[in-house]
Amino acid sequence: MSKFLFVSDLDHTFVGDDAALIELQTHLSHHRTNYGTKIVYATGRSPVLYRQLKAEKSPIDPDALVTSVGTEIYPHDASDTPDKEWSEILSHGWNRDIIVSTLDQFSQLAPQPDSEQRPFKVSYYLSETAAATVVPQIESALAEQGLSVKLVYSGGQDLDVLPIKGNKGLAMQFLARRWGFSSDRTVACGDSGNDIALFSVGDERGIIVGNARPELVAWHQSQSSNHVYRAKAHYAAGILEGLKYFGFI
Ligand code: GLC
Ligand code: MG
């Protein structure tokens, strides 16, 4: 056994089956203590909503915390200061005010709560039926303003506007480079649209949990990557299944 970089989404991936989560955390803690494995949570939540989940579920302490769909990296989960190098990378070509004023004209968009509006993330609710037609219109409107940003639709309700260089996958690679983990010793786990970047950014190993959302399943079916494993089991049990499949544990 040797160390690896474990990166996981939280909602409906790491969290969802309390009994399986206990077993998974036991494996991960053991690996961290004995081999130097590093544990990273990569969540769509803001730090505020992460702290709520932490209070409810008490997940083991991560070695770094990625919040707000990859746009903020914290050295540990009690830190209030995001990694400056990462913020600097994301700031190029990003203009939050122009994004907000451009998207004001789309009546189908309802802004998410203030806590989820972040320096490098603008988030709305958008129904699944409207998304198919509205997302391309939003893309054109933003391109007309000369903005090169990325739209991420997740969970049949959330639309995030992110800097082109800010997503969960690129944040994972930033930490892997910093800590010296190769792609074959890095594994990412997820269940929804904002996790696609974890699986598509490179050839890091990927685990899609059995309860994955249609948008992630459709993406997986549309391409042929053998570095991504689709588990049968759900939530943490699916992660355990995948970690065994790849031989990490
Ligand atoms: C989390 C965030 C929300 C985001 C969603 C999808 O629920 O709180 O702002 O839109 O993830 O990325
Ligand atoms: Mg999720």
Side-chain angles (χ1 to χ4, degrees), residues 34-141:
N34 290 290
Y35 310 112
T37 283
K38 294 225 186 252
I39 300 165
V40 173
Y41 300 140
T43 179
R45 291 178 179 236
S46 61
V48 171
L49 290 191
Y50 169 76
R51 281 193 273 277
Q52 274 184 19
L53 182 77
K54 184 176 158 128
E56 285 161 25
K57 297 287 175 188
S58 312
I60 51 174
D61 288 342
D63 296 287
L65 174 67
V66 174
T67 68
S68 319
V69 199
T71 63
E72 293 163 40
I73 299 177
Y74 295 89
H76 52 82
D77 75 353
S79 165
D80 286 327
T81 314
D83 191 286
K84 286 197 176 58
E85 201 184 322
W86 186 238
S87 306
E88 164 65 23
I89 292 170
L90 302 195
S91 63
H92 296 283
W94 175 251
N95 189 323
R96 204 175 190 291
D97 294 343
I98 300 182
I99 294 167
V100 172
S101 63
T102 306
L103 297 201
D104 261 356
Q105 51 179 300
F106 289 89
S107 59
Q108 303 91 334
L109 295 176
Q112 289 189 12
D114 287 350
S115 74
E116 302 315 284
Q117 310 300 344
R118 307 294 302 167
F120 297 108
K121 168 176 172 286
V122 185
S123 294
Y124 299 88
Y125 296 119
L126 173 66
S127 76
E128 201 150 30
T129 41
T133 48
V134 174
V135 170
Q137 290 168 4
I138 296 173
E139 266 164 356
S140 320

Side-chain angles (χ1 to χ4, degrees), residues 139-152:
E139 266 164 356
S140 320
L142 291 170
E144 266 169 37
Q145 297 294 325
L147 295 173
S148 116
V149 295
K150 176 97 178 135
L151 298 181
V152 180

Side-chain angles (χ1 to χ4, degrees), residues 143-166:
E144 266 169 37
Q145 297 294 325
L147 295 173
S148 116
V149 295
K150 176 97 178 135
L151 298 181
V152 180
Y153 189 63
S154 302
Q157 62 166 40
D158 298 314
L159 182 71
D160 301 316
V161 188
L162 308 175
I164 208 85
K165 291 197 172 154

